[in-house]
Amino acid sequence: MERTRGPAIVATLLAALALPAAGQEIYKSVDEEGNVTYSDQPPTPDARPMDLPPLTVAEPFEVPPPLVGELEPGDEIVPYAGLALVSPEPEQHFWGTGGTLRAQIEAPHELRAGDSVNFYLDGALAGNVRGYGFDLAEVHRGEHSVYAEIVGEGGQVLARTEPVVFYMHQQSVLNPNNPRGRGNN
């Protein structure tokens, strides 16, 4: 109940401030070019005030809290709104992973029965899982992108993350800074 007092107090203060304006007259005038002007001052001595409808005042209401946890079949809200790729992070660089890294998504709800997650590496399907994480394998040196989508039992896409670009670095024996590279025995 404490949450509804704040909006009620603000509404009361705004209504009190509007009382002086509610008693004022409003005048409408149109110039020779068709421009309309509204004012609380009469534009001419013979101007008549406008008849305005009474102000509409809405009662405050409490916004229901967001749903948390498993959704039931038949729920009408979008269960995966807010889906996001949390790993890798945009423009993240990886070294010494052996060509493997974990892609991880985050959603406000657990996967519903029958739904699964497709992970895409460089636009190609890398895997389909019943969880929010997947190990991408054979990720070679260079720039890559990854995104994920949740698909329903019939294959329809229910939600998709934005693609994230990341960079994979691997040691090379040709690198002169590598202690095991050329010239270092």
Side-chain angles (χ1 to χ4, degrees):
M1 283 304 190
E2 196 63 30
R3 292 176 67 182
T4 59
R5 268 194 207 156
I9 291 172
V10 171
T12 304
L13 289 173
L14 289 174
L17 291 173
L19 283 177
Q24 290 181 340
E25 305 292 338
I26 303 294
Y27 299 90
K28 175 182 175 182
S29 63
V30 181
D31 65 16
E32 51 277 344
E33 294 178 15
N35 297 316
V36 178
T37 305
Y38 295 94
S39 174
D40 61 349
Q41 302 293 319
T44 62
D46 61 338
R48 301 261 186 243
M50 294 177 56
D51 288 328
L52 297 174
L55 292 175
T56 303
V57 179
E59 293 297 319
F61 62 93
E62 189 169 331
V63 177
L67 296 176
V68 177
E70 184 81 24
L71 293 175
E72 298 297 323
D75 284 346
E76 300 223 342
I77 69 163
V78 178
Y80 304 113
L83 180 69
L85 194 62
V86 294
S87 178
E89 295 176 6
E91 304 295 320
Q92 188 172 2
H93 293 258
F94 293 91
W95 287 271
T97 66
T100 302
L101 74 99
R102 180 109 177 132
Q104 187 76 34
I105 60 173
E106 201 173 74
H109 304 286
E110 297 295 320
L111 284 173
R112 295 186 303 182
D115 294 349
S116 61
V117 181
N118 287 338
F119 283 89
Y120 291 86
L121 177 63
D122 299 326
L125 180 63
N128 174 271
V129 294
R130 283 266 321 132
Y132 284 162
F134 181 73
D135 290 327
L136 299 167
E138 297 185 32
V139 183
H140 302 290
R141 178 181 304 130
E143 178 181 309
H144 299 278
S145 68
V146 63
Y147 70 92
E149 60 187 19
I150 296 180
V151 293
E153 211 165 1
Q156 71 278 23
V157 176
L158 303 174
R160 179 177 292 131
T161 68
E162 291 294 322
V164 168
V165 173
F166 67 94
Y167 303 92
M168 182 64 76
H169 302 274
Q170 295 179 11
Q171 296 295 337
S172 168
V173 293
L174 301 177
N175 183 347
N177 295 326
N178 184 345
R180 291 178 287 182
R182 276 192 268 179
N184 298 325
N185 293 339

